[in-house]
Amino acid sequence: MIHTTSRVLVSGLREHVGQTVSVSGWVNTLRLQSKMQFVVVRDHTGMVQVTHKRSGEGDEVEAALEGLTPESAVRITGRVVDNPIVKLGGLEIIPESVEVLNRAETPLPIDEQTGLEHRMDWRFLDVRRRPQAQLLFAVQTTFEQGMREYAYRQGCTEMHTPKLMGTASESGAEVFKLGYFDRSAYLAQSPQFFKQMAISSGIDKVFEIGPVFRAEPSFTSRHATEFTGVDVELAWIDGVEDVMAFEEQMLAYAIAKVADTHGEAIQETFGVEVTVPTTPFPRITMAETQEILRAKGWDPAGVKDDLDPEGERGIAAHIKEQTGHEWVFVTHYPTSIRPFYHMRPAGNPSVTLSFDLLWKGLEVTTGAQREHRYDVLQKQAAEKGMSTEPMQDYLNAFRYGCPPHGGLGMGLGRVLMVMLGLDSIREATFLFRGPNRLTP
């Protein structure tokens, strides 16, 4: 069929009152009465009512509308008419032709009452039918755009590092092993080693948004086996403070962009207000954090080196109460729970120059100043009982003049989860991957 009228989006119909237009979208609802047929059509910008008065035998439009099912893909050409009693924008379309581009089977496999796991099985329909999901991906796009803009303005080079590795990165635990021709390869748990190599390559500031793989059998609302990481590495730093300052500025910039573009829609759809954080964010050492939490009855046995989710929520609540701030950097984590490549302050080898960033009590970022001295790196790896032989390619990057540097890794899904007040990272991901989910 030849189309003389080009597609108009539902959000733009007001400008076409009295004109004949084509609208393409999905059937949202049908009310087929004895004298009238009402069909609500939805595209990604909104919904419009199509109103047709039946004229019986030989009425092609009537027959086409009668054969529709919810979620069928249609193209409807007709006149846009002002009708103040129509709830959807005070407009309706009087159809002249109805094309069924793809009739949806009936009944649909999911409805409003369907639980999360079953919705995940039919994720394409779930996303299509729910404005929350549609908005989430628009917000994700704007948020990433904001982070990139900030990073580019700071002189970052966007890198794409390999996701296949010949040896297990970091500690060797929690990696996926796969067949690689006649030997084994591993999926990268983080671009850490590669972005440090980029620093050693003379690339001053490194930025990457890409997939990260973690073979953790975690079944929590905030873990995934494949997620999108936002990674930054900065050369010639004076200390880990430079990394925290970069991150808080980047987040404030990107969140302001989200608030500006989608603030009203987020408030309406999720009932959440997006507030742009003030900088600097509060900072508190791990030792202080533990002291405050233990005074409130956390970890009564006094055995925890790290913060558990309860501890993260506890310190965030404390900081919010004290400062009114939703964000907090917890710094100087013990050496025992941090990787060998985190730098340790001179004179205090029991802690690292590292941080976690918590937003409303959820850890969204880990960062640190890296150890850039070859001999120290070797020593720290040996202390952790690691063999340096499989890491020689990595260690070589520090033998020929690597500058002081530090960086961070942020989980995109976790940030979106907190930003939109979602209960699970499954909702903040297009197609979730977890220990029990490899489909669709």
Side-chain angles (χ1 to χ4, degrees), residues 14 35 98 196 218 267 284 303 410:
R14 177 55 61 198
K35 292 197 167 66
V98 175
Q196 287 185 269
S218 295
Q267 180 78 61
I284 184 170
V303 292
M410 178 198 304

Side-chain angles (χ1 to χ4, degrees), residues 363-376:
E363 175 213 316
V364 293
T365 302
T366 296
Q369 178 163 1
R370 321 299 182 190
E371 181 51 71
H372 61 284
R373 296 162 296 188
Y374 181 65
D375 54 334
V376 181

Side-chain angles (χ1 to χ4, degrees), residues 241 243-255 275-284 319 323-331 355-360 364-365 410:
E241 179 54 45
V243 181
M244 294 191 279
F246 182 99
E247 177 166 37
E248 65 197 1
Q249 295 292 334
M250 177 173 77
L251 282 165
Y253 180 92
I255 291 167
T275 49
V276 182
T278 55
T279 56
F281 297 175
R283 288 139 169 71
I284 184 170
I319 294 290
T323 67
H325 219 288
E326 293 178 344
W327 299 80
V328 58
F329 283 114
V330 179
T331 68
F355 64 86
D356 272 6
L357 176 59
L358 311 180
W359 186 12
K360 294 187 185 175
V364 293
T365 302
M410 178 198 304

